[in-house]
Structure formats: structure tokens, C-alpha cells
Amino acid sequence: MSFSLPDFRRKWSYRGNMSAGAAMVTAALGLSLVLPEPVDARTYAAPLDIFGLGAPRPHKRIQSTKIPLPKPRPEEAPKATGKATDEAAPEADDKASPDKPAADKPNGNEPAEAARPPEKRLSACRLALTEEIAVAPSIPDIHGPGACGGEDLVRLEAIVLPDKRKVAVKPAAILRCTMASAIADWVRTDMVPLAASLGSTITDLDNFDSFECRGRNRVAGAMLSEHGKANALDVRSLKLANGQSIGLTDRTISRDVRERVLHSVCSRFSTVLGPGSDWYHEDHIHLDLAQRRNDYRICQWNVWDPLPQIAPLLPAERPEEAPPREVAAKSEGGKSEDGKSEGGKPEGAKSESAKDGADDQENPAASADKSAVVSGKSKPATKKRR
């Protein structure tokens, strides 16, 4: 295969050479426009560097700072005392190092409010339940299983009366603030006048049960009790300063006293359960502030009458003026103590034959006994039953 000069000129014309040269010139101009500054000064990738042939993107330079070290302590300097060391320690803590910011100071990127947790605001009940009303310190919220627990809880230790005397709650009750406030108001307003009418003052409140994470009446699987919500209190009695105890379910206590307690609690609490409601509340009174539809209330407490006087089981003693038993036995046969009959005649006035005949007719067995005696055969005497 041979090529001639005309054929070569026809295939590789000057127009083609000029097109290739124009393309090279265009590429050179484009690169000069894209890269107007040196590669080291760029902080971004070239937009036309499709195949990554350009220089890698340099990282920003990290400037290191030198921390000046303290000068060595001279030998002739006095020794540092413990007091100076203790005073210098807080100053060192206050000054944070430039590398590590202080823990209690917020970072520049985070807001100042997120650094400190917001303080919990006191409820209106907590502000009203002061030390002049009750000794009830606040305790942390309780979040147990199955919605058990509550918020705004207090430990009711004592109730302060208007005359500054205290009624101890034994043992201390864990309640919601609203329930503790209702108990304190009940004792201060209603129970103090009741104790005054009995001639004494209240010293103790017998707490039978307060907060306990359980179902109603401690039945497995039952609905959560108000005790599990710290919204109930079981009261058994109130003790007075004179040693007397007012048992709310004690039938030996006056019925009027127990009825006064009944009317006071049923007007204050939404649930009152006592004797007659069920056998779980025969020895105490259940009080709570359960919320129901249309403010429905439950007051189930039967104030029973006092127990009747039971007669003694042993027979009464025989009076001293009563006659002896032997004389009384003889008088039952129609004879007096002097041996005379009821007609006033002596006992031997009748003839023996007439008397024996009459006895034989009235009692045939007696005649048989007499015949046995005559024949010489004796019969053991029988004792009369009484």
C-alpha cells in the first residue's frame, strides 16, 4: 500500500491542523481562567478537575499555643503553709485552662439556659402548707410500676395546732400535698373542738396506712388503690392528753362522738369507708380525695350501737338471809320449821293406822317398801332429785 503526496494533503489538510491548534489554545485559556491563583492558596476543589488530577485540598493550619510554665520556687523562699494552699486551691479552680473550659460555664455554641436544669416551681399547695400548719417536708417524686406513685409529695410528720402544740402522726405518712393539707385542716378545725368537749387535747393520730403501691384491698390484679397514688390515709384512733383514746370504730365509745366524726369526714373527703362497707374496713376508717365524675362522693360507715351488757355465766351467790337448804326441803312437804302441820295440829295427832292407810292408798310403792322392811329385807334408799 503506497501513499502519494496529494492523498496525504487531502486527508491532513491545514484546516485540520488549525482546528487542533485552536482547541489547544482554548484549553490553555480556560485553565488560566480557572486557576488564577496558585494551588496552595486554594481551599476548595477545582470545578473542572473531574478525574482528581489536581493537587489535593490542603487542610487549615492549626496554630499551637505555648502555655507558660511557672518559674521554679527559689530555695530561700518560705515553705507554703496549709492555709495558703487551701486558699490557692479555689483560685486555681476558678481559673479555667485555655484548652479545657470550665464545667459550670456554658460553651459558646450552647445557650446559657441549657447549661443549668430549670428549677422546679413550688405548687400553690406547697406554698400554703407552711410550718405553722404542719411539719411536712417535701420528698422527691415517686414513679413506680403501673402508674404507682405521684408528684408534689410530702412526709406528714406532725400537725401544728393553733396554740402551737403538735399532733404527732405515728408513723409519718407519705401523701400528696393536697391530701396532707386536707388531713391537717380536718384535725385543726373539727377534731380539736371534739377533744375539748371531752375535756382534753389531741396528742397523736394513729396512721394505719398511707402510701403503698398496691391494688384495692390488696387483691392481686385489682384496680390501683388510692393508697398507690399517695392520695389516701387510714385512721384508726386519736389519742388524747389524758390517756384516753378515741377509737373511730370502737363500740364502747359514745355513739354521739363517733357520729360527729362521721359527719366531719364525709363533708371533707370524697371517699369514706368504715364498718358496714366491707370486712376490710371493720377496724379503721379509710379517707381519700379520689376524683370522680360530677364530684361523686362515697360515705359508707355504719355507726353501730354500743355492745349490750352480757349476763355473767356463773350463778349468783346465795344471799345470807336465805334459810338453810335442809329446812327449805322440809318446808316443801307442807310442814313448818317447828314440826307442826299447816293446820296447826301436832304431827302425831293422827293415828298411825290411819296415816299408814292413807299413805298406802296415795303411794303404792311406799306400801311395798314397808312390807319389805317387815319381812326383813331392806332396800337401799333413793335420793330425791332436785
Side-chain angles (χ1 to χ4, degrees), residues 14 17 19 21 23 39 56 62 80 99-100 109 162 180 217 220 242 250 254 259 311 314 318 347 369 373:
Y14 292 105
N17 295 337
S19 300
V39 178
I62 301 175
D99 293 343
K100 184 178 180 181
N109 299 332
N217 299 325
N242 59 3
D250 189 1
S254 172
E259 285 184 346
L314 297 177
R318 186 178 181 84
E347 185 180 355
D369 294 341
V373 173

Side-chain angles (χ1 to χ4, degrees), residues 230-287:
N231 197 32
L233 180 69
D234 289 346
V235 183
R236 187 157 44 186
S237 63
L238 299 172
K239 295 183 180 180
L240 306 182
N242 59 3
Q244 184 181 0
S245 178
I246 303 177
L248 302 186
T249 60
D250 189 1
R251 298 177 68 174
T252 61
I253 302 298
S254 172
R255 181 186 179 92
D256 179 64
V257 172
R258 289 178 288 151
E259 285 184 346
R260 289 176 61 180
V261 178
L262 167 66
H263 295 316
S264 65
V265 294
C266 288
S267 62
R268 290 178 174 273
F269 300 95
S270 59
T271 307
V272 177
L273 301 176
S277 59
D278 51 43
W279 69 275
Y280 295 100
H281 302 89
E282 292 296 326
D283 57 348
H284 66 275
I285 303 301
H286 170 91
L287 308 174

Side-chain angles (χ1 to χ4, degrees), residues 305-345:
D305 293 332
L307 293 174
Q309 296 294 333
I310 301 176
L313 299 179
L314 297 177
E317 295 182 1
R318 186 178 181 84
E320 296 180 358
E321 61 274 9
R325 295 183 182 277
E326 293 80 9
V327 177
K330 292 181 180 179
S331 62
E332 291 178 359
K335 300 177 181 179
S336 60
E337 296 180 2
D338 54 356
K340 296 182 179 181
S341 61
E342 295 179 356
K345 295 182 179 181

